[in-house]
Amino acid sequence: MRLAVFDTHRYDRGALEEANADFGHALTFLEPRLTAQTARLAEGFHAVCSFVNDRVDAATLELLRACGVRLVATRSAGYNHIDLEAARRLDVRVTRVPEYSPHAVAEHAVTLVLSLNRHIPRAFARVRDWNFSLDGLVGFDLAGKTVGIAGTGRIGRVTARIFRGFGCDVVCFDAVPDAAFAREVGARYVTLEELYSVSDVISLHVPLTPGTHHMVDAKSLARMKRGVVLVNTGRGALIDSRALLDALKSGHIGAAGLDVYEEEEGVFFQDLSGQVLQDDVLARLLTFPNVLVTSHQAFLTREALGRIAHTTLASVRAFERGEPLVNEVRVEQVRPA
């Protein structure tokens, strides 16, 4: 099957080409993001492969449909960049990768916490200037601290297990609590309000839905412990970035680790080193010594890339053969949390 792969980077291409040895699709790799301005590049293809910062809105889907596209296979777990209502109306099927490596994302979340707590970026910069002073580098023991895990899906559960391994007291929130999981790891479920108020570290692992959009806003931040470490490896819009900025400026939030950002489209995954950053909020966040931003790289391990590629191409093959799409996303399946 002919597949147009948008927003391609070297790591994508390598993983997809390796996985394609098992499928034999005809892959065409395109550097531009998939938007209404680039959709016509898919002329003659029956399927396209998108990524999280593409803009597969109604206008894009209409152009894709006119080009002959019948399947959008997004190589991501998130799918809020795709207008599912428009896809249904246009009879364009949508698939995703619901699981690739929960360990990759969970380990990155913990890495952000450790890096912030022990001031690793600042310490690294100092010693490269031959400054071996320890002033301002005091952290805290994770052992005995309370870690709040918001969302106990696959990634949240792995994250909880890792923090339990550090000797942390883990509290969890989920729309559907799992008592068996809590007993297994020695955690407990609490309300979201209690999680905010008791946690020394908070890690977000919920999907982005209308109900979770800006779940961390000014009111939520005010409920949190002064000095809390807040980490987001989920979706950028879970956090109101301007409210976070204010909480950091006031000193209420001790540190923030962000692998995602609500306005990351057109910024993350790009080399903007020779330009002026136009996003004033992101630019301000990057000036804080207690903020660590990574460019949506939590998924970026060899194991995860391989699983993403294999699952994506398997969905394309199933579509080609008229088989059930086990990883299909439909608008009627999406419900506010």
Side-chain angles (χ1 to χ4, degrees), residues 19-331:
N20 197 41
D22 295 331
F23 297 96
H25 298 303
L27 306 182
T28 297
F29 296 100
L30 304 169
E31 290 186 8
R33 293 166 44 231
L34 177 54
T35 67
Q37 287 69 45
T38 62
R40 292 202 178 277
L41 293 172
E43 186 77 47
F45 292 87
H46 291 131
V48 298
C49 181
S50 72
F51 198 44
V52 290
N53 280 338
D54 293 338
R55 189 181 299 171
V56 194
D57 55 14
T60 303
L61 286 164
E62 287 170 2
L63 289 168
L64 290 174
R65 187 69 166 80
C67 290
V69 172
R70 299 294 182 271
L71 172 70
V72 174
T74 185
R75 56 187 189 277
S76 61
Y79 48 84
N80 59 290
H81 61 291
I82 302 173
D83 187 333
L84 295 178
E85 182 62 52
R88 178 174 64 176
R89 172 171 54 81
L90 295 166
D91 192 28
V92 175
R93 310 285 289 277
V94 177
T95 62
R96 67 174 181 135
V97 182
E99 179 181 5
Y100 33 89
S101 175
H103 295 278
V105 181
E107 289 169 9
H108 193 79
V110 177
T111 298
L112 290 174
V113 173
L114 292 171
S115 298
L116 287 163
N117 175 32
R118 302 309 298 269
H119 308 285
I120 300 302
R122 185 188 296 184
F124 175 74
R126 278 188 186 182
V127 297
R128 286 178 65 87
D129 288 333
W130 296 5
N131 178 356
F132 300 97
S133 167
L134 299 183
D135 291 339
L137 302 183
V138 178
F140 57 81
D141 289 356
L142 274 176
K145 298 298 186 295
T146 299
V147 175
I149 306 295
T152 52
R154 297 178 181 93
I155 296 171
R157 293 178 186 219
V158 174
T159 308
R161 290 187 175 97
I162 295 173
F163 277 116
R164 283 293 292 152
F166 278 100
C168 299
D169 176 25
V170 173
V171 296
C172 304
F173 168 80
D174 197 279
V176 184
D178 186 338
F181 163 73
R183 287 193 299 271
E184 175 195 343
V185 300
R188 58 191 176 91
Y189 279 93
V190 297
T191 65
L192 189 57
E193 290 72 19
E194 183 177 351
L195 183 147
Y196 286 154
S197 64
V198 303
S199 299
D200 301 294
V201 175
I202 296 175
S203 192
L204 304 180
H205 301 284
V206 300
L208 179 61
T209 69
T212 61
H213 182 267
H214 283 185
M215 63 181 285
V216 176
D217 56 13
K219 291 183 179 178
S220 302
L221 291 163
R223 294 191 188 103
M224 296 178 188
K225 276 187 177 182
R226 187 172 184 84
V228 66
V229 177
L230 176 63
V231 170
N232 186 11
T233 53
R235 304 297 289 172
L238 297 176
I239 297 178
D240 181 338
S241 301
R242 292 185 180 277
L244 175 61
L245 186 60
D246 291 339
L248 286 162
K249 288 167 65 177
S250 71
H252 186 75
I253 299 300
L258 308 175
D259 186 58
V260 288
Y261 173 67
E262 61 179 324
E263 301 295 337
E264 68 181 55
E265 179 185 326
V267 178
F268 283 14
F269 310 114
Q270 309 300 317
D271 181 358
L272 306 180
S273 57
Q275 304 177 34
V276 175
L277 186 60
Q278 298 300 310
D279 189 315
D280 292 341
V281 174
L282 179 57
R284 184 72 177 93
L285 286 170
L286 290 171
T287 67
F288 284 87
N290 56 341
V291 173
L292 180 55
V293 177
T294 52
S295 186
H296 207 137
Q297 71 176 76
F299 76 98
L300 200 62
T301 66
R302 290 188 297 272
E303 294 82 358
L305 287 170
R307 292 186 186 113
I308 289 169
H310 190 276
T311 301
T312 301
L313 297 179
S315 292
V316 174
R317 182 172 66 182
F319 177 80
E320 179 185 27
R321 295 178 175 179
E323 298 171 351
L325 299 181
V326 296
N327 294 318
E328 184 172 15
V329 183
R330 298 180 179 179
V331 67

